[in-house]
Amino acid sequence: MAAPVAAPAFRACERAPAPGLLPYVTAYTGYRQEASAPSVHQGVASGHLTFLLCLDGRVEMLANADPRHPPGSFTAAVGGLHDAPARIAQGDPQTGLQLRLTWRGARAVLGLPAAELAGNTVDLHDVLGRRADALLERLAAADGWPARFALLDAELAALVAGGPGERGIPPEVGYAWDRLVETGGNLRIEELAREVGWSRRHLAGKFRAETGLGPKAAARVIRFEAACDRLRAPDRPSLARVAAEAGYVDQAHLSRDFRDLAGIPATAWLAEREGG
């Protein structure tokens, strides 16, 4: 699941989490989306889980990336890793916070492996219970985004301190994911398996059991997320330049990933984020 679409009626405020949380959460975004004509947003595949907290309005999932999981309506939700687009309704006003959660953060913050959320969007109340309601109430009462971000720092630190941390994560899986990130998703899986000391099949099974994606799918999503982040940079590089920098064969290769992982052409994705 991806960030709400940027549009003329969309405002956002971003901040990095406290340093101690960065292995588990890499970004906070506070946003306000004003009412607009009904539309459908494609939730782009990402190397992060999406943690959404609505202060008003709801997240309306029309279709999850994995069609075996039903749609739903949420005031607080967490979306797992996926390598296909999801579909999200837009048009109603909404204020909320979005967090980029790492697959390690699924265990550390939520107490479960990321694989349990793969391709799905789950009500946060089903994961955190009454603590989810208390968090929403405190965030709504906080005075402004800085206060809300500080509250998130404190609440997430408490969840991490009281949770299992990274216990249960095979170190080989952690190493394999980190190597994929280091190489921008451009490391051959055969080479990765040799580095880990496992067969490719064994690595794929263990990797998927923890993250919800196989190593090849994860590499593709990691490379695509890096390309999307680069396209959002202030200097607005061209698609051809981003494709070359991210390790794609050519611009057409990146365009195919937009079709498969975002569900829309790159030009449409860029237009959404520029308010076009």
Side-chain angles (χ1 to χ4, degrees), residues 7-210:
F10 180 81
R11 299 187 301 275
C13 177
E14 299 183 357
R15 203 207 77 180
L21 293 171
L22 289 176
Y24 312 119
V25 186
T26 63
Y28 297 153
T29 301
Y31 65 89
R32 173 62 186 171
Q33 175 71 61
E34 302 297 343
S36 61
S39 62
V40 176
H41 171 56
Q42 299 290 103
V44 178
S46 167
H48 289 80
L49 292 83
T50 301
F51 192 129
L52 280 169
L53 299 157
C54 295
L55 306 184
D56 64 59
R58 300 179 69 86
V59 176
E60 302 288 346
M61 294 298 303
L62 300 176
N64 281 296
D66 184 341
R68 294 174 297 179
H69 298 296
S73 177
F74 310 96
T75 57
V78 58
L81 298 177
H82 53 100
D83 60 352
R87 299 175 69 243
I88 306 163
Q90 291 196 317
D92 291 339
Q94 186 182 125
T95 304
L97 296 108
Q98 176 180 287
L99 288 66
R100 259 188 172 188
L101 194 70
T102 70
W103 64 273
R104 288 180 170 93
R107 278 196 186 268
V109 175
L110 305 176
L112 48 76
E116 292 191 18
L117 303 169
N120 195 12
T121 307
V122 176
D123 196 313
L124 191 63
H125 299 83
D126 293 339
V127 180
L128 295 182
R130 295 180 179 178
R131 195 162 191 166
D133 284 322
L135 177 57
L136 284 173
E137 290 174 4
R138 293 175 65 196
L139 287 169
D143 185 15
W145 296 121
R148 289 169 182 151
F149 294 151
L151 196 159
L152 282 176
D153 280 343
E155 183 67 19
L156 295 176
L159 284 169
V160 170
E166 297 184 35
R167 291 195 302 274
I169 298 177
E172 294 88 350
V173 171
Y175 174 87
W177 183 281
D178 292 344
R179 285 288 289 138
L180 291 176
V181 172
E182 288 170 8
T183 58
N186 291 300
L187 179 63
R188 292 178 60 84
I189 305 306
E190 293 85 351
E191 182 178 342
L192 181 61
R194 284 196 296 271
E195 290 186 17
V196 170
W198 286 349
S199 70
R200 178 169 177 164
R201 182 177 180 180
H202 188 68
L203 172 61
K206 291 291 187 181
F207 196 99
R208 186 177 291 106
E210 182 62 39

Side-chain angles (χ1 to χ4, degrees), residues 20 43 109 111-112 134 141 176 232 260 265 269:
V109 175
L112 48 76
R232 283 193 291 260
D260 296 343
W269 183 86

